[in-house]
């Protein structure tokens, strides 16, 4: 009798362990559907987040402004993104992943279409600022949902695949700059982004709400029973079944996302926040100004640069997959730090070698490989290091500090560099130095506060 009880998945004091049930599942149609929907959502998010920077000079021209005058638009975009990053993930931890994802998709879809009708820089700043509240939250909430519904041994790999689609959205926005901009004008980016936002909403009805979220919110929720039964008709359930999520202690009530700053999470949280502040600040600066830097300071048309950037997507996609594969196999902290150190070398080279040279394209691919792969590693750390009741908040608030960096750095640093006519070599050298600092912070995180626990921290 005792043996039979021990073999029953999740059976413990008449409760059903949802975590054990998910972790022991094989990859099937439901897991693939979850991966597919979350990947499409991240693709749409990546497109809406990055298309603006790729066609910034054209948008400025269409609004009778100079590229440097768009700093106010970028500023308010990142204000909105910071608000969204701090507000929406905790909301998802409170009411659910799916409803907040749907709200975000509808929000930025509508605002993107309104953006196509903007007549002034001020109008664009308002619309992009409000839109940022919605699209900044898609990635952390989507990753939280995917991680909580994926068996543990496949979790990092599935998140890496989803993040490839996020990068693919970035690449897809390059199609606008490379081939559609001259035909349809700058508005085409906003129209496509808006339509994609509306596409995301019905897709969310194809997947269930996170079982981890439902269990931690209410272990007697009847919807847990129906979801588990739909996933596995042979699951050992009975009427009136109660549920639990692993051996985790009940969430500390009243703290909300501030639990991130309680023991034992305080030091890892602070180090993650600072690393994200610098890493995402770098990404924000380059996403919004890189094409403009090379056009204004290097004489490279944005259409030509966009084609090279699309080719370099190979590096970003590969970097994401490599990071997802290796994080479960070697020390993740040394791995992520190594990515950022190589990124620094690639950024330095981009400012030194001619655009027409093969070395430039190689450096661009390596930069994408290490930047996207390295940020994937940080995202995985932030996602896997916190329990379900604060998981969306953990990755969302880490990203929120990156958005604050975007507020401080992306709009004004890029515009100031253009107004001062700093040499391209100097700009890229400064950005490379920031990547080195991220590597140092990740090493410190691994030494003093290994977020994924002693077992993983000892891997070498």
């Amino acid at each position: 009798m005792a043996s039979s009880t021990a073999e029953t998945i999740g059976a413990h004091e008449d409760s059903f362990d949802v975590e054990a049930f998910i972790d022991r599942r094989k990859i099937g149609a439901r897991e693939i559907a979850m991966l597919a929907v979350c990947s499409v959502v991240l693709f749409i998010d990546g497109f809406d987040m990055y298309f603006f920077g790729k066609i910034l000079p054209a948008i400025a021209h269409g609004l009778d402004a100079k590229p440097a005058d768009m700093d106010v638009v970028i500023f308010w975009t990142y204000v909105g993104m910071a608000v969204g990053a701090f507000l929406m993930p905790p909301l998802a931890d409170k009411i659910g992943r799916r409803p907040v994802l749907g709200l975000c998709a509808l929000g930025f879809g509508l605002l993107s279409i309104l953006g196509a009708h903007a007549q002034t820089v001020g109008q664009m700043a308002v619309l992009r600022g409000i839109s940022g509240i919605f699209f900044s939250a898609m990635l952390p909430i989507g990753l939280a949902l995917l991680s909580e519904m994926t068996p543990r041994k496949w979790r990092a790999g599935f998140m890496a695949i989803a993040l490839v689609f996020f990068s693919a959205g970035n690449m897809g926005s390059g199609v606008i700059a490379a081939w559609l901009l001259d035909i349809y004008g700058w508005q085409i980016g906003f129209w496509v982004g808006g339509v994609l936002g509306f596409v995301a909403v019905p897709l969310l009805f194809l997947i269930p709400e996170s079982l981890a979220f439902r269990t931690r919110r209410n272990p007697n929720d009847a919807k847990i029973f129906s979801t588990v039964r739909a996933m596995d008709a042979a699951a050992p359930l009975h009427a009136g079944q109660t549920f639990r999520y692993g051996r985790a202690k009940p969430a500390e009530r009243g703290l909300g996302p501030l639990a991130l700053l309680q023991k034992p999470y305080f030091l890892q949280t602070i180090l993650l926040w600072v690393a994200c502040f610098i890493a995402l600040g770098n990404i924000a600066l380059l996403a919004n100004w890189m094409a403009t830097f090379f056009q204004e300071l290097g004489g490279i048309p944005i259409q030509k640069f966009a084609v090279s950037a699309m080719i370099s997507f190979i590096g970003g996609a590969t970097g994401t997959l490599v990071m997802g594969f290796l994080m479960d196999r070697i020390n993740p902290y040394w791995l992520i730090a190594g990515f950022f150190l190589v990124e620094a070398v690639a950024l330095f080279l981009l400012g030194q070698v001619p655009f027409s040279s093969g070395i430039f394209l190689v450096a661009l691919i390596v930069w994408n490989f290490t930047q996207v792969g390295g940020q994937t590693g940080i995202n995985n750390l932030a996602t896997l290091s916190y329990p379900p009741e604060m998981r969306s908040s953990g990755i969302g608030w880490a990203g929120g500090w990156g958005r604050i960096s975007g507020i401080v750095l992306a709009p004004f640093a890029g515009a100031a560099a253009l107004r001062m006519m700093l040499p391209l070599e100097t700009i890229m050298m400064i950005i490379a130095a920031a990547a080195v600092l991220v590597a140092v912070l990740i090493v410190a995180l691994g030494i003093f506060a290994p977020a994924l626990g002693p077992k993983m921290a000892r891997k070498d």
Side-chain angles (χ1 to χ4, degrees), residues 46-297:
F47 181 96
D48 275 83
M49 188 174 294
Y50 288 112
F51 82 85
F52 188 91
K54 289 185 171 62
I55 59 174
L56 184 149
I59 297 172
H61 179 75
L63 299 177
D64 295 322
K66 297 178 180 178
D69 296 334
M70 301 299 285
D71 56 357
V72 66
V73 180
I74 298 172
F75 171 78
W76 285 110
T77 299
Y78 276 87
V79 169
M81 291 171 69
V83 171
F86 286 111
L87 178 65
M88 293 299 185
L91 185 62
D93 283 335
K94 186 175 181 62
I95 69 172
R97 314 317 190 201
R98 287 198 314 162
V100 178
L101 283 174
L103 172 64
C104 290
L106 279 176
F108 75 66
L110 176 61
L111 289 159
S112 185
I113 289 177
L114 290 176
H117 295 88
Q119 300 295 315
T120 66
V121 171
Q123 291 176 5
M124 183 64 75
V126 170
L127 291 169
R128 286 294 287 178
I130 301 173
S131 181
I133 295 174
F134 297 106
F135 65 66
S136 69
M138 299 287 282
L139 186 145
I141 299 172
L143 286 181
L145 174 59
L146 179 62
S147 70
E148 290 166 358
M149 294 297 285
T150 303
R152 181 180 299 275
K153 65 180 179 180
W154 294 95
R155 202 163 289 162
F158 268 40
M159 288 195 295
I161 293 171
L163 285 166
V164 167
F165 278 81
F166 180 80
S167 299
N170 184 359
M171 183 199 72
S173 68
V175 173
I176 301 297
W179 292 297
L180 301 181
L181 181 62
D182 291 337
I183 301 173
Y184 299 105
W186 61 267
Q187 293 91 343
I188 186 63
F190 292 89
W191 281 108
V192 173
V195 170
L196 289 175
F198 295 143
V199 166
V201 177
L203 292 178
L204 293 170
F205 288 98
L206 301 177
I207 57 177
E209 179 58 272
S210 163
L211 286 174
F213 162 76
R214 288 195 184 281
T215 304
R216 297 308 295 267
R217 183 184 62 172
N218 178 12
N220 298 310
D221 188 345
K223 291 183 179 179
I224 304 173
F225 185 99
S226 59
T227 301
V228 171
R229 181 65 77 201
M231 293 174 67
D232 183 0
L237 299 174
H238 60 76
Q241 183 79 64
T242 59
F243 299 89
R244 61 189 173 88
Y245 191 77
R247 299 178 179 275
K249 297 179 181 179
E252 294 185 72
R253 300 191 182 278
L255 285 177
L258 293 181
L260 298 168
L261 295 175
Q262 303 298 306
K263 291 182 178 181
Y265 306 111
F266 179 81
L267 185 56
Q268 78 176 43
T269 295
I270 295 300
L271 288 172
L272 275 171
W273 284 1
V274 177
C276 282
F277 182 89
I278 300 171
L280 287 173
N282 249 8
I283 291 175
L285 180 65
L286 293 170
N288 287 284
W289 293 107
M290 194 173 192
T292 305
F293 286 155
F294 279 90
Q295 175 175 283
E296 300 294 316
L297 304 175

